[in-house]
Amino acid sequence: MATASEPAAPSASAPLERPGLLATYRRLWPHLWPHGRGDLQRRIFLAFGLLMLAKAATMVMPFTFKWATDALVAATDKSAPAAVPAGLISAPFVLIGLYGLSRVAMAAMTQVRDGLFAKVAMHAVRRLALLTFEHMHRLSLRFHLERKTGGLTRVLERGRNGIEELSRLMVLTLVPTIVELALVLGILAWEFDWLYSAVVATMIAAYLGFTWKATEWRIGIRRRMNNSDTDATTKAVDSLLNYETVKYFGAEGRETARYDASMATYEKASTQTYVSLAVLNAGQAVIFTLGMTAVMALAARDIMAGRTTIGGFVLVNTMLVQLSMPLNFMGMIYREIKQALVDIDDMFRIIDRNPEIADRPGAPALAVPAGTVRFEDVRFAYIPERPILRGVSFEVPAGRTVAIVGPSGAGKSTLSRLLFRFYEPQSGRITIDGQDIANVRQDSLRAAIGMVPQDTVLFNDTIGYNIRYGRWDATEAEVREAARLAQIDRFIESLPEGYETPVGERGLKLSGGEKQRVAIARTILKSPPILVLDEATSALDSFTEREIQAALDRVSQGRTTLVIAHRLSTVVNADEILVLDHGRVVERGDHASLLARGGVYAALWDRQRQADAAREALKRAEDERALGARSAMEPQPVG
Ligand SMILES: Nc1ncnc2c1ncn2[C@@H]1O[C@H](COP(=O)(O)OP(=O)(O)O)[C@@H](O)[C@H]1O
Ligand SMILES: [Mg+2]
């Protein structure tokens, strides 16, 4: 009997109609049955038609077997009255041919149906993945900082698989199996008597009940396995992203141990998964065999009583063996559907998440006739317990440059994040040409501001791609001009592949200074009316810095510019300098007046001048090291 040799699909049962399934299906339906896609809808109809035909063939098949058996028995029965009609001799072969045909028909129709439906399912997968991906970009920076990147892409990946699984399992496996069960029970009652159906129904109920229980138990084990798997992956990704840091601190051993700890949990949980699978399969085999044996005994009894033929015996057996295949899958289906529901739910939950920063309904686009930026008594905290800005007010008049200086952690970059509306201030407001940035569309706001961030991360593509990111329709000449203004053209031209040089993941193949200049070039290309330079030259040595400073000065000509600087030498020419400390502006004025005042700024200035010489030496050494570590593909760039 075939149960044991059937595909060792883990089994579970099907107490399906959980609200989760229906609700999920209701949500998936518009994507599986998309408006205006008659082709996909026709496919679904066709697939269902084929499903029904295939099931009909499945039911005919055991009968051809029965008829062939009976014909064979009749043909070989010596005790039968002599003259066997000639037609009956060939009957077994005709019937065996029919048996083969019905099997082929069944298999062919099932495969065509699967092929037809694949496009429907994959189309839904694509639509929903796109929706989720779009929404992920709409969610706030806070959300993304709190999430592990690997975790988020996994939600996307698992959600995609979940949708595919769910739609395929339901339509291609679950519904057909229910149809088949009903047909088998009906045929047994009709061909033999109700006792057969009752025995099979009891067996199926026990089988499903057991599978359900066992699968519930296994789901917990699998969850532990998945969690440890995710954990291990996240750790591996994080560790490998920090490759250089790991080397700096010689922490390979620690990293390996961390990874191994996660893998140990994974090992344990996945071993349990296999053990529990064995328990499940064994239990299923026992229950199924008991039912099968009982029905065969019933048939034997009826044959001996002359109520049915040998063919009847063959029929019951064939039908049940056939049923064991989908039954065996039921366990897997239950588990996969349940898992798919969880995965899809995770995905839906992201889609359902309201972006923290959203456009007000009907918000107008920002208009920037001049470009005056004002912060009015802005108070802000990332977490309520720790205020970062405690009432900051200042104005950057149109076309002028204001510098913000202050110790690290004072909240300088926070100001730029608020201006970019990555976060919203708890009180106070930020305006551009009199319009509160909270009341305009985010895309228009962000289009108006160019940002050279403190830490530049590049896309894992070519240098050209990363510069062009600033303005997609820029011409080749414009890209080169931007590179020239950012003083990175000579470096790029010195590379064998020029603008086509890949920068590596996050831009790791470039030094900090090179990355920074790519960031400057793409901002130049964007050419926004308002510019934010967040320690834009902090990664450069002072020689390069002076060169780029000249470029930046040129770029900021006529643009409203907010310069955030740690190094004061870069801001001496600003129209106004604000000293930020502990969330407040403690001093303001131009360089000369601040120096004359002899306060915080003057003190900082003195200290930095002394430190500058030392820093210079350090920087040069660092650059040399970075160069040495890089593959010797390019000649020594400056900075
Ligand atoms: N996403 C965040 N969540 C919580 N605290 C943050 C977050 N980003 C920055 N901070 C904290 O806010 C303070 C100001 O940060 P930042 O504006 O980046 O300082 P800086 O003046 O050096 O640019 C720092 O103490 C930092 O730890
Ligand atoms: Mg900063």
Side-chain angles (χ1 to χ4, degrees):
M1 207 258 59
T3 348
S5 65
E6 293 309 329
S11 289
S13 98
L16 299 146
E17 310 304 356
R18 335 167 113 258
L21 181 65
L22 281 184
T24 308
Y25 243 89
R26 213 169 303 130
R27 247 190 113 163
L28 283 179
W29 186 243
H31 303 281
L32 286 169
W33 186 262
H35 270 297
R37 286 299 300 265
D39 56 329
L40 294 180
Q41 299 177 346
R42 269 193 300 284
R43 269 169 190 269
I44 295 184
F45 270 124
L46 256 173
F48 258 101
L50 282 174
L51 159 66
M52 285 312 178
L53 281 178
K55 283 304 154 200
T58 312
M59 289 304 117
V60 168
M61 200 269 279
F63 276 96
T64 58
F65 208 12
K66 168 191 190 304
W67 297 328
T69 310
D70 285 341
L72 277 172
V73 169
T76 53
D77 192 351
K78 299 288 181 290
S79 69
V84 175
L88 255 183
I89 307 258
S90 61
F93 297 100
V94 173
L95 286 167
I96 289 170
L98 197 57
Y99 167 78
L101 264 182
S102 60
R103 278 195 76 112
V104 168
M106 184 177 83
M109 282 186 286
T110 307
Q111 296 311 317
V112 173
R113 177 200 71 185
D114 288 8
L116 277 174
F117 193 72
K119 191 176 164 82
V120 177
M122 291 321 292
H123 183 75
V125 168
R126 175 178 155 199
R127 279 175 56 134
L128 275 156
L130 203 65
L131 217 63
T132 315
F133 180 73
E134 245 187 336
H135 197 75
M136 282 176 176
H137 268 299
R138 212 171 293 141
L139 290 171
S140 65
L141 179 65
R142 192 195 300 274
F143 170 80
H144 282 274
L145 290 181
E146 279 164 10
R147 282 278 189 148
K148 298 172 190 154
T149 315
L152 215 50
T153 47
R154 261 183 111 84
V155 169
L156 195 59
E157 186 189 317
R158 287 205 179 140
R160 260 163 44 185
N161 290 340
I163 295 165
E164 190 186 341
E165 286 279 292
L166 189 65
S167 45
R168 288 179 62 85
L169 288 177
M170 275 290 281
V171 176
L172 303 184
T173 319
L174 189 61
V175 174
T177 303
I178 292 171
V179 171
E180 187 170 342
L181 279 180
L183 284 175
V184 166
L185 290 181
I187 288 174
L188 283 176
W190 173 67
E191 185 71 20
F192 304 97
D193 67 58
W194 63 269
L195 202 55
Y196 287 67
S197 305
V199 170
V200 172
T202 312
M203 182 271 283
I204 290 174
Y207 189 100
L208 293 185
F210 169 74
T211 313
W212 174 58
K213 270 278 169 226
T215 305
E216 280 293 331
W217 166 58
R218 297 194 64 225
I219 284 174
I221 298 176
R222 279 183 66 96
R223 186 170 307 134
R224 248 174 294 144
M225 182 176 91
N226 280 342
N227 287 348
S228 53
D229 180 31
T230 311
D231 190 49
T233 309
T234 316
K235 290 218 170 91
V237 168
D238 193 40
S239 176
L240 293 174
L241 277 181
N242 277 299
Y243 176 85
E244 291 183 36
T245 314
V246 172
K247 301 280 150 183
Y248 294 153
F249 295 98
E252 291 91 338
R254 217 179 324 144
E255 292 295 322
T256 311
R258 241 159 69 95
Y259 184 63
D260 193 42
S262 303
M263 286 305 287
T265 323
Y266 179 69
E267 181 192 354
K268 193 161 159 242
S270 44
T271 311
Q272 281 178 341
T273 311
Y274 281 103
V275 173
S276 60
L277 175 60
V279 171
L280 178 60
N281 279 343
Q284 283 180 330
V286 168
I287 294 173
F288 188 85
T289 309
L290 282 179
M292 177 103 160
T293 314
V295 176
M296 280 163 66
L298 277 181
R301 187 201 61 178
D302 285 349
I303 292 171
M304 289 194 290
R307 280 192 292 268
T308 186
T309 59
I310 303 280
F313 187 75
V314 172
L315 174 66
V316 204
N317 186 283
T318 316
M319 232 157 42
L320 284 186
V321 169
Q322 203 163 247
L323 195 59
S324 74
M325 286 186 252
L327 270 187
N328 202 6
F329 283 122
M330 278 314 217
M332 191 255 315
I333 291 173
Y334 174 69
R335 197 195 61 223
E336 298 279 301
I337 285 185
K338 204 164 165 177
Q339 182 61 47
L341 288 179
V342 172
D343 290 343
I344 295 174
D345 187 49
D346 281 348
M347 193 161 166
F348 279 156
R349 244 184 264 177
I350 290 198
I351 295 184
D352 290 341
R353 225 186 146 91
N354 284 327
E356 182 186 334
I357 312 285
D359 287 343
R360 310 255 141 96
L366 174 75
V368 193
T372 301
V373 174
R374 276 179 67 87
F375 276 63
E376 299 174 11
D377 194 29
V378 170
R379 285 164 202 276
F380 176 75
Y382 291 101
I383 43 171
E385 302 82 46
R386 196 173 155 234
I388 303 291
L389 301 177
R390 309 157 190 254
V392 171
S393 302
F394 64 90
E395 179 182 289
V396 193
R400 311 307 279 277
T401 297
V402 167
I404 305 205
V405 301
S408 172
K412 304 183 298 295
S413 298
T414 304
L415 286 175
S416 71
R417 284 179 212 126
L418 290 175
L419 177 60
F420 223 70
R421 211 167 155 222
F422 279 149
Y423 298 90
E424 276 178 323
Q426 268 84 46
S427 72
R429 54 181 214 145
I430 302 168
T431 63
I432 293 178
D433 285 340
Q435 307 146 82
D436 189 337
I437 62 166
N439 294 331
V440 298
R441 288 212 322 266
Q442 294 168 74
D443 57 347
S444 65
L445 170 71
R446 291 178 189 151
I449 305 172
M451 169 87 98
V452 181
Q454 195 166 359
D455 307 301
T456 298
V457 174
L458 299 182
F459 291 97
N460 188 2
D461 207 295
T462 62
I463 293 190
Y465 174 94
N466 275 288
I467 295 180
R468 194 177 285 276
Y469 210 81
R471 184 154 51 87
W472 214 232
D473 55 5
T475 64
E476 201 58 35
E478 286 171 319
V479 169
R480 277 161 204 275
E481 174 64 8
R484 194 184 64 75
L485 284 172
Q487 314 256 335
I488 196 174
D489 54 333
R490 264 175 298 154
F491 164 70
I492 296 174
E493 275 145 27
S494 73
L495 299 172
E497 292 178 82
Y499 285 83
E500 298 306 311
T501 309
V503 299
E505 193 169 354
R506 316 189 118 232
L508 279 178
K509 287 190 194 165
L510 300 186
S511 75
E514 289 150 9
K515 265 193 293 199
Q516 203 70 332
R517 280 179 286 167
V518 169
I520 292 169
R522 68 185 176 194
T523 306
I524 291 174
L525 209 55
K526 179 175 176 180
S527 187
I530 298 164
L531 202 58
V532 179
L533 309 173
D534 189 351
E535 313 208 14
T537 56
S538 61
L540 311 177
D541 62 70
S542 57
F543 173 72
T544 321
E545 180 183 342
R546 266 189 294 279
E547 288 202 346
I548 292 183
Q549 197 58 51
L552 285 176
D553 286 346
R554 224 174 316 143
V555 177
S556 57
Q557 275 294 315
R559 293 183 214 278
T560 309
T561 309
L562 191 63
V563 186
I564 293 167
H566 185 67
R567 211 171 324 161
L568 306 185
S569 58
T570 58
V571 299
V572 288
N573 293 324
D575 296 303
E576 189 182 30
I577 298 170
L578 310 176
V579 183
L580 195 67
D581 198 9
H582 290 105
R584 287 200 178 83
V585 178
V586 291
E587 280 177 22
R588 61 176 77 203
D590 63 11
H591 177 68
S593 66
L594 284 174
L595 273 191
R597 197 179 148 145
V600 183
Y601 183 84
L604 268 176
W605 176 256
D606 279 345
R607 207 156 21 163
Q608 284 203 359
R609 277 239 300 228
Q610 287 160 21
D612 262 1
R615 184 191 312 229
E616 198 79 335
L618 192 75
K619 190 101 204 159
R620 216 171 286 134
E622 240 171 40
D623 279 358
E624 258 150 38
R625 212 171 49 208
L627 271 170
R630 215 158 33 182
S631 59
M633 61 172 184
E634 80 260 19
Q636 150 78 53
V638 191

